[in-house]
Amino acid sequence: MRVGMLTSGGDCQSLNATMRGVAKTLYNQRKDVEIIGFIEGYRGLIYEDYRIMKSKDFSGILTNGGTILGTSRQPFKLMRVPDENGLDKVEAMKNTYKKLKLDCLVVLGGNGSQKTTNLLRQEGLNVIGLPKTIDNDLWGTDVTFGFQSAINLATQTIDCIHTTAASHGRVFIVEIMGHKVGWLTLHAGIAGGADIILVPEIPYDINKVAAAVNKRAKEGKRFSIIAVAEGAISKEQAALSKKEYKKYIATRQYPSISYEIGAKISELTGQEVRVAVPGHMQRGGSPCPYDRVLSTRLGAAAGKMILDGEFGYLVGMKNNHIAKIPLADVAGKLKMIQPDDEMVQEAKLMGFHLEINCKWHIQHYTANGVLPDLKM
Ligand code: F6P
């Protein structure tokens, strides 16, 4: 039995732990398993760049962040576009699969990557997807691996900022990763005790943010912490068309939304404001214990599915149980924070002003006209 494996898109802490889960299960259950690791994601599959893995390659990697196979971003929208030498990438991937006589291809990837996995499924390949992303925005699974480790790091950042903000009596903006969804910001913001949380799904009113900062100051609170997702948008920006919004991003005079919010808050409140951006640190380091367990479970489940010949699924979690979600259902959808999400309701109870506007997201981010199931 020959199984191909690749890690695609932005990395995260628990990729190696997940591959190890798949590999250990396969090696343990069958003697004739050979695993082919493609280098740098779909690039390796397209250009036949691979390594024949050995059981020892998967040993000692549970706690190692990053990916032993390397990764790259190969945008889904360019998959049908020939490369600079006229190569048809989809045909090339199919040829590599056939040439290597693979029985299955396992793809560890996020939203964009799983769209390509589904494309390969439609093209007749046996595929299995595993949900990687610190953003936790893959549709159909409650959790993705990498998310919890990133929450830990983002929370640690807010914790560190807390002490210095309190000493100096400053307003701090902490920018958390997540261009399209705010799960990481919402979780880290709550865990770190941020006073205001701004996520892409809830366009903010800068005057209300400033009022909340002023209110805290009036109550004698010497500092405020605002957790801002990198994709946070104001109500005015949310009202723009996709084209107008792109133009605004291209011409924005600030390095990111946090600096823009910082400048406005400083102007509106007269308080001293600082911005902290942990950036890619949130994807780095060792996977946390939760992710190690999650990855091992997902990997083992994927291994069993390969042995049972069950293909075409994303292996995810539903209510703490392994779930097999058809890739056809997953592709092109985003799991966003919903208005009726319990965490949102709880945050509201504690005084956050939250307004969900998912329409904006549907307009800007859904692929192929497929709308996300808002009731997921
Ligand atoms: O998808 C994961 C993610 O970390 C997002 O949160 C972030 O916006 C993006 O990747 C950053 O991408 P890159 O590594 O290409 O800069």
Side-chain angles (χ1 to χ4, degrees):
M1 172 180 263
R2 286 193 128 188
V3 176
M5 208 181 270
L6 62 85
T7 53
S8 170
D11 73 342
C12 76
Q13 294 87 347
S14 214
L15 284 160
N16 290 330
T18 309
M19 287 193 277
R20 171 182 170 273
V22 180
K24 265 186 164 310
T25 306
L26 292 176
Y27 290 134
N28 196 39
Q29 294 298 321
R30 271 177 76 144
K31 295 285 158 266
D32 62 341
V33 171
E34 191 165 50
I35 297 178
I36 309 279
F38 291 99
I39 309 301
E40 294 173 5
Y42 285 113
R43 194 195 64 73
L45 186 63
I46 296 169
Y47 298 105
E48 289 183 41
D49 190 5
Y50 60 86
R51 267 170 64 196
I52 297 175
M53 311 294 284
K54 295 271 175 291
S55 162
K56 68 175 170 49
D57 293 324
F58 296 98
S59 184
I61 62 170
L62 172 67
T63 59
N64 296 353
T67 159
I68 54 169
L69 294 179
T71 186
S72 64
R73 290 197 187 274
Q74 303 289 329
F76 172 74
K77 63 180 180 202
L78 297 182
M79 280 299 176
R80 291 282 185 197
V81 179
D83 77 357
E84 58 280 12
N85 299 313
L87 181 82
D88 180 328
K89 294 173 204 152
V90 177
E91 280 310 307
M93 288 192 281
K94 284 161 65 182
N95 287 340
T96 307
Y97 182 99
K98 282 182 195 140
K99 198 166 155 186
L100 291 173
K101 296 192 170 51
L102 296 182
D103 293 294
C104 165
L105 174 72
V106 180
V107 176
L108 287 73
N111 267 303
S113 306
Q114 298 303 346
K115 278 198 259 181
T116 300
T117 318
N118 187 48
L119 172 75
L120 294 175
R121 178 194 66 80
Q122 288 166 327
E123 292 288 327
L125 306 194
N126 292 332
V127 291
I128 289 184
L130 281 159
K132 167 247 52 164
T133 168
I134 64 163
D135 295 336
N136 196 34
D137 60 353
L138 254 173
W139 192 91
T141 180
D142 292 344
V143 278
T144 57
F145 57 85
F147 179 51
Q148 199 67 46
S149 303
I151 292 176
N152 290 0
L153 291 169
T155 303
Q156 271 168 33
T157 304
I158 300 176
D159 288 350
C160 293
I161 291 300
H162 242 118
T163 59
T164 177
S167 307
H168 286 265
R170 285 170 171 162
V171 176
F172 257 94
I173 320 277
V174 183
E175 183 174 294
I176 314 280
M177 272 189 163
H179 264 125
K180 297 177 184 175
V181 300
W183 291 112
L184 185 54
T185 309
L186 182 63
H187 281 251
I190 289 175
D195 305 297
I196 295 161
I197 300 172
L198 306 180
V199 296
E201 293 93 328
I202 311 169
Y204 63 85
D205 178 336
I206 195 69
N207 292 313
K208 287 186 178 157
V209 177
V213 169
N214 279 334
K215 182 169 175 278
R216 279 181 55 81
K218 274 202 195 101
E219 288 166 357
K221 295 165 184 168
R222 294 188 63 243
F223 68 93
S224 286
I225 293 180
I226 312 179
V228 174
E230 60 185 341
I233 50 163
S234 68
K235 283 193 187 297
E236 294 75 23
Q237 291 154 7
L240 298 175
S241 69
K242 191 173 179 175
K243 203 171 157 196
E244 289 166 337
Y245 182 66
K246 272 192 174 167
K247 189 173 165 209
Y248 147 76
I249 293 284
T251 55
R252 179 160 69 188
Q253 51 172 309
Y254 302 99
S256 72
I257 190 69
S258 297
Y259 289 90
E260 179 176 325
I261 292 171
K264 296 227 165 94
I265 294 295
S266 163
E267 188 189 312
L268 292 169
T269 66
Q271 293 197 47
E272 200 180 358
V273 180
R274 293 286 188 275
V275 177
V277 184
H280 289 77
M281 210 185 81
Q282 294 162 90
R283 290 209 315 236
S286 215
C288 67
Y290 177 93
D291 269 339
R292 295 178 201 180
V293 174
L294 175 66
S295 285
T296 304
R297 289 188 65 190
L298 292 172
K304 180 162 187 322
M305 284 165 70
I306 297 167
L307 297 167
D308 293 345
E310 279 190 272
F311 304 116
Y313 294 98
L314 177 84
V315 189
M317 296 298 282
K318 278 273 177 205
N319 302 320
N320 211 27
H321 291 288
I322 295 288
K324 300 165 195 172
I325 309 110
L327 278 162
D329 294 347
V330 173
K333 295 182 198 163
L334 275 180
K335 184 179 69 187
M336 298 177 293
I337 300 172
Q338 302 296 322
D340 53 2
D341 190 284
E342 280 177 13
M343 274 179 81
V344 172
Q345 300 305 327
E346 288 147 12
K348 274 186 173 175
L349 277 176
M350 287 173 60
F352 287 96
H353 184 88
L354 301 174
E355 290 169 51
I356 298 267
N357 180 357
C358 291
K359 268 197 205 140
W360 188 87
H361 262 73
I362 292 166
Q363 183 195 345
H364 283 258
Y365 286 127
T366 50
N368 311 325
V370 183
L371 299 185
D373 178 352
L374 296 181
K375 283 282 153 223
M376 198 201 102

